[in-house]
Amino acid sequence: MDGVGSFGAGRAGSTIDPISFAKQPQTILRALSWIFSLVVFASIVNEGYVNIGSERLYCVFNKNADACNYGVFVGLVGLLACSFFLLLDYKFSSISSVKDRKKAVMLEIGFSGFWAFLYFVSFCFLANQWSRTTTAELPLNQGADAARAAIAFSFFSIITWAGLTVRAVQKYLLGTDMTLFTSEHLDGAAPTQPLPSNSPGGGVTAEPTDTYQNPPFTENNAAPTYQVPIY
């Protein structure tokens, strides 16, 4: 990962460089996912329904309305989710709480992995229904290009969303450097005050270390000398 610090990002409150942010692999994958979701959604909404000799509109995917509805749902929600996570990526470094950063990364892992799976289902579902569509159901080949575009970009979206999942997992595995945050950022408690110093102005003084001193009076244990008197 390019970032350093907590979960791949810099220190809380660090300045964000828009140019460096735009060059990050995660930002590029996010932008591609946004474009692919837009193509899937717009292709089906604009040209995914055809009128065959009546006022009623039919889905170009074998006249299966569920196929068109599913493609529109996955594309629209993916489009909105990309916008949300792109903003979250930009604001990620400004999140000071380690717990909030962890929740954001876990949310990204869960959603990105789940949406990669939904796009896999979308690709298989749309491709299957398109293979069953006959030329009689699409006079003048109406909506064929839109159908192929929705299928192709559903496949591309699998790759980009899977890449975003891998990047999010890498961020989670980086964990956090606890030295970048104060204790009040970790648990909301006030920081612990240090003990007063052993200065004249301090209220508490440290007990002096006891040192060994010789007793004031010492006894002379040496035996006294005795002289024999001379007569």
Side-chain angles (χ1 to χ4, degrees):
M1 300 292 291
D2 299 327
V4 292
S6 176
F7 296 102
R11 295 177 181 270
S14 59
T15 305
I16 302 175
D17 184 9
I19 298 178
S20 299
F21 173 77
K23 293 180 179 180
Q24 292 179 359
Q26 181 171 334
T27 305
I28 297 174
L29 287 174
R30 193 83 67 193
L32 290 176
S33 298
W34 189 91
I35 295 173
F36 296 163
S37 296
L38 177 62
V39 172
V40 173
F41 168 73
S43 297
I44 298 176
V45 169
N46 292 333
E47 301 181 25
Y49 297 89
V50 295
N51 186 351
I52 306 176
S54 65
E55 295 181 356
R56 184 177 180 180
L57 296 177
Y58 294 94
C59 178
V60 295
F61 296 98
N62 196 29
K63 294 184 180 181
N64 189 343
D66 292 336
C68 287
N69 293 337
Y70 184 83
V72 169
F73 168 75
V74 175
L76 178 60
V77 177
L79 181 67
L80 297 177
C82 284
S83 301
F84 169 76
F85 282 110
L86 187 63
L87 179 61
L88 182 63
D89 291 340
Y90 188 77
K91 296 292 185 180
F92 192 77
S93 296
S94 62
I95 300 177
S96 58
S97 173
V98 177
K99 294 182 179 179
D100 291 341
R101 285 191 177 190
K102 183 177 181 180
K103 292 178 181 178
V105 174
M106 293 182 65
L107 175 63
E108 184 180 355
I109 294 174
F111 187 89
S112 298
F114 180 62
W115 226 249
F117 171 74
L118 290 187
Y119 264 117
F120 174 76
V121 175
S122 175
F123 169 74
C124 295
F125 188 23
L126 297 182
N128 177 265
Q129 293 300 307
W130 179 247
S131 66
R132 298 182 179 183
T133 304
T134 62
T135 55
E137 296 174 348
L138 295 178
L140 301 179
N141 211 24
Q142 298 181 48
D145 292 338
R148 296 189 184 97
I151 295 173
F153 284 94
S154 292
F155 176 77
F156 297 152
S157 295
I158 299 172
I159 300 175
T160 56
W161 282 100
L164 288 171
T165 305
V166 173
R167 295 290 297 182
V169 171
Q170 289 176 346
K171 287 169 61 177
Y172 182 81
L173 294 178
L174 282 177
T176 179
D177 182 2
M178 305 303 289
T179 61
L180 301 178
F181 297 87
T182 61
S183 59
E184 60 180 335
H185 288 156
L186 297 177
D187 52 13
T192 305
Q193 296 293 335
L195 294 176
S197 60
N198 190 17
S199 60
V204 180
T205 57
E207 293 292 336
T209 304
D210 293 332
T211 57
Y212 178 80
Q213 294 181 352
N214 292 325
F217 302 100
T218 59
E219 297 181 357
N220 189 3
N221 296 327
T225 59
Y226 179 77
Q227 293 181 350
V228 179
I230 301 173
Y231 296 98

